[in-house]
Amino acid sequence: MSEELFKKLSQAVIDGEPEEAEELAIKVLAQGVDPLTSINQGLKVGMERVGELFASGEYYLPDLIIGAEAMKVALAVLEPALMAGQQRDVIARVVIGTVEGDLHDIGKTLVATMLAANGFQVTDIGVDQPASEFVAAVEETKSTLVGTSALLTTTMLQQKKIVEALEESGLRDKVKVIVGGAPVTQAWAEEIKADGFAEDAIAAVEEAKRLVAE
Ligand code: B1M
């Protein structure tokens, strides 16, 4: 039963059908299916397929845009359910954003939601944010964690700039930096002297907890 819903969710993203995706997300909640599994085994699988079709030249930019739209409307339905078990005590404050030159926000927002649902106080500064904005947000919110998301091989370099900007502003020893995004790896995290790396939103929560406990 759930498997079928996951398949349909995935297909709605591949076909670029926001209305269908939204209706299916409502069904997920109505049938008591786990929202996170629906995201990971449904929507995300569809989005990955859209990416493959784009990379192979079968899909064009409008297909990416409408696929992302379908995923976003379904997420808007599912994300409040992820927050349902939110803890009261704040584990730590975290600033999260997508780096300069990069407009991809779906994964970053999912990570932000999962962190918030697991007791972190999250300041999401949005997409296309220069290093200076990350630094300013850390100063303003007195956060002890910074999460940077990059989806393009060309924008990954900005993650390094953010680590450097934190060093230059004298904040580096007060914050832990987590990096993530499709092209980002543990090796890249080590190369740019970030403190942590996470492959997905669940791993990001684990990594954030580990760093706070250090
Ligand atoms: Co873009 N895009 N895109 N795109 N897009 C990719 C990334 C690409 C791999 C597609 C492909 O060619 N196969 C490719 C990058 C190639 C490369 O650099 N190697 C690409 C390209 C080329 C582009 C453009 C340049 C296309 C063009 O204009 N010709 C352009 C760039 C725009 C820009 O940013 N300046 C572009 C534009 C777009 C849209 C705007 C149309 C749209 C984004 C809409 C939006 O976000 N609002 C889009 C989309 C949807 C994608 C794909 C298909 C899907 C991304 C996504 O949302 N995935 C993507 C292909 C792919 O990734 N398979 C692609 C679902 C999401 C849940 O996963 O974002 O990976 P993800 O997040 C995961 C993990 O990565 C991790 O956890 C998340 C949850 O599990 N994670 C973190 C992410 N951030 C983290 C932070 C952490 C920890 C973990 O700690 C802080």
Side-chain angles (χ1 to χ4, degrees):
M1 199 62 186
S2 312
E3 295 297 322
E4 198 169 313
L5 257 182
F6 300 158
K7 255 194 202 149
K8 283 186 178 166
L9 277 168
S10 167
Q11 199 59 47
V13 173
I14 296 169
D15 295 341
E17 299 280 0
E19 277 176 27
E20 169 79 0
E22 189 175 29
E23 278 169 25
L24 289 165
I26 292 167
K27 237 183 218 175
V28 162
L29 299 186
Q31 294 182 6
V33 177
D34 180 47
L36 187 59
T37 316
S38 307
I39 293 169
N40 286 332
Q41 292 183 26
L43 297 170
K44 209 173 151 202
V45 173
M47 202 73 258
E48 276 160 12
R49 183 69 191 130
V50 170
E52 286 165 12
L53 290 165
F54 178 71
S56 67
E58 281 169 75
Y59 269 19
Y60 297 97
L61 197 54
D63 301 305
L64 272 195
I65 294 170
I66 192 75
E69 183 55 27
M71 177 150 186
K72 285 182 92 165
V73 293
L75 280 179
V77 174
L78 297 174
E79 278 179 341
L82 295 179
M83 301 290 291
Q86 194 175 355
Q87 285 174 228
R88 283 236 178 92
D89 296 339
V90 173
I91 298 178
R93 283 192 284 270
V94 49
V95 166
I96 190 165
T98 302
V99 302
E100 186 167 19
D102 200 320
L103 302 173
H104 296 85
D105 74 344
I106 297 174
K108 177 268 299 164
T109 306
L110 198 52
V111 172
T113 303
M114 287 305 291
L115 286 171
N118 283 279
F120 289 84
Q121 190 174 310
V122 180
T123 303
D124 184 344
I125 61 171
V127 298
D128 191 16
Q129 292 298 322
S132 57
E133 286 299 321
F134 281 86
V135 172
V138 168
E139 269 171 346
E140 198 179 309
T141 60
K142 307 219 175 340
S143 290
T144 52
L145 277 171
V146 181
T148 75
S149 180
L151 264 285
L152 301 169
T153 41
T154 47
T155 58
M156 278 166 70
L157 205 60
Q158 295 299 326
Q159 293 182 316
K160 185 168 190 259
K161 286 201 175 159
I162 293 165
V163 174
E164 289 167 356
L166 287 165
E167 270 163 16
E168 282 157 21
S169 63
L171 288 169
R172 185 65 186 97
D173 57 351
K174 295 192 181 74
V175 291
K176 303 279 186 188
V177 179
I178 306 184
V179 291
V184 178
T185 60
Q186 177 68 42
W188 173 246
E190 284 165 19
E191 188 180 329
I192 65 171
K193 298 189 172 59
D195 303 290
F197 157 75
E199 193 149 10
D200 58 32
I202 298 169
V205 173
E206 292 313 311
E207 191 68 340
K209 284 183 178 167
R210 181 185 72 80
L211 291 171
V212 167
E214 260 184 6

